[in-house]
Amino acid sequence: MASDGARKQFWKRSSSKVPGSIQHVYGAQHPPFDPLLHGTLLKAAPKAPATPVKAKRVSTFQEFESNTSDAWDAGEDDDGLLAMAAESLNTDVVMETAHRVLRNHSQRQERRKPQDAPGPEQEPKPSAEPPSVPSGDLRLVKSVSEGRTSCPAESASDAVPLQRSQSLPHSVTVAVGGTSDPSALSSSALSEREASRLDKFKQLLAGPNTDLEELRKLSWSGIPKPVRPMTWKLLSGYLPANVDRRPATLQRKQKEYFAFIEHYYDSRNDDVHQDTYRQIHIDIPRMSPEALILQPKVTEIFERILFIWAIRHPASGYVQGINDLVTPFFVVFMCEHIEEEDVDAADVSRVPADVLRNVEADTYWCMSKLLDGIQDNYTFAQPGIQMKVKMLEELVSRIDEQVHRHLDQHEVRYLQFAFRWMNNLLMREVPLHCTIRLWDTYQSEPDGFSHFHLYVCAAFLVRWRKEILEERDFQELLLFLQNLPTAHWGNEDISLLLAEAYRLKFAFADAPNHYKK
């Protein structure tokens, strides 16, 4: 072959058309040379001798003839040409050639089948009609023959070009085989990932001293249902990290709780406490899920938990909204002792009495730990909620000024819809299973219920940006914000919400001037 310099000089010297044989040219409208289709070309014109010859001046036509010879020179430039061709091929041409290669290979396999039967470990032979590939995918289809390491029936002239065809860039090849359904692959991968995460939790919890920091990292993206009760008890600070101390701690705390009941619960009808008990008695039937809460045993348990907490925390006493915070703990701890997948429909009367006593005590202590961090939300005038709603307003004005201005123009005040978000920790806005998933992350975050919840509320409001901007009336806006369409939300929606909240926290939490006007 002539050198690259000679080619460039030739095209510089002459721009007129020179007659020559019409051949496939790399990088034009034809695919790279395929040995299965053009194998005869190699035999028709043998390779030029490699003996060095003294360079002599050739005419322009001779030079052109040499460059466009019918013989395909298997020189060292082939790999570069193949790579160039792979980058610039038309998609339709690529797919047509790939299908032709597969059909050709299939026919050759059929002819070779009596001699060489495939073993059980070999890949299945592709059908005559290869699987369809999306037309927008600019990738070549790798022939199954590339997977074979040796082919005794192949001639030497075929082996060399086959080896060169493997030198195509890896990024433009895709294996041909039994492609599984993408949804089946994703579900199997998901189940494997969940099983792997569950094993990590079990190993961490089974150790003599649980690493709480590592447990928080694992729990941030959700806690598997089988280990959620124990994980919540550890993350809330109810149980110690040391495994040996846990049984004694459980026994002591449960005994302490029922001592409170013996000492205080009979005073619920006294003049001093009857208003508190009456309000609790009124609020519990309003809770959800109704199928669970309205069971007599559950109602009694919730009344005892809320009344004892109110008596032992006189600074705040009982405030509407606290009753909702009992439900997630009770449901999670009940999951250990019932067979039903949906706890909402479980019949609590079939659960042994001693198990219910233990669940009741665990629920009380974990709820108490939660409320210790947000008690200013429920003291007189609820200053904690007032402050958080104001911070939410300032934060939204920074992250989405258009939404903030739209609410202000229609005289919608943040307290009118966000007060409940803070008071009930979004429990009235999303389904119960979403609340439980949300609390997985809250318990793994430092000050999750008191601090991170602010950013979750901001992300939650901006999540409905399009719908908010479409409303042009005060009444319609307020009705929408108080009845958001989240009935069909799942864990994926909560995960996206938490990811956005974390992004906002990362941007604003350590830079308070960013959300100050």
Side-chain angles (χ1 to χ4, degrees), residues 53-88:
V53 180
K54 183 178 179 181
K56 62 179 180 179
R57 181 65 181 169
V58 294
S59 66
T60 301
F61 182 76
Q62 289 174 330
E63 189 175 337
F64 173 78
E65 185 182 28
S66 174
N67 290 338
T68 58
S69 173
D70 288 352
W72 289 83
D73 190 333
E76 56 187 20
D77 291 333
D78 284 1
D79 285 348
L81 292 173
L82 285 171
M84 291 169 56
E87 294 177 358
S88 59

Side-chain angles (χ1 to χ4, degrees), residues 183-199 224:
S183 61
L185 285 174
S186 61
S187 62
S188 63
L190 184 65
S191 61
E192 289 178 5
R193 185 167 69 248
E194 289 175 348
S196 175
R197 293 190 74 245
L198 180 59
D199 289 341

Side-chain angles (χ1 to χ4, degrees), residues 294-312:
L294 294 181
Q295 296 183 42
K297 285 193 174 182
V298 178
T299 301
E300 293 172 8
I301 289 172
F302 278 43
E303 286 179 353
R304 286 195 293 266
I305 290 173
L306 291 169
F307 182 78
I308 296 301
W309 190 88
I311 294 300
R312 297 195 68 250

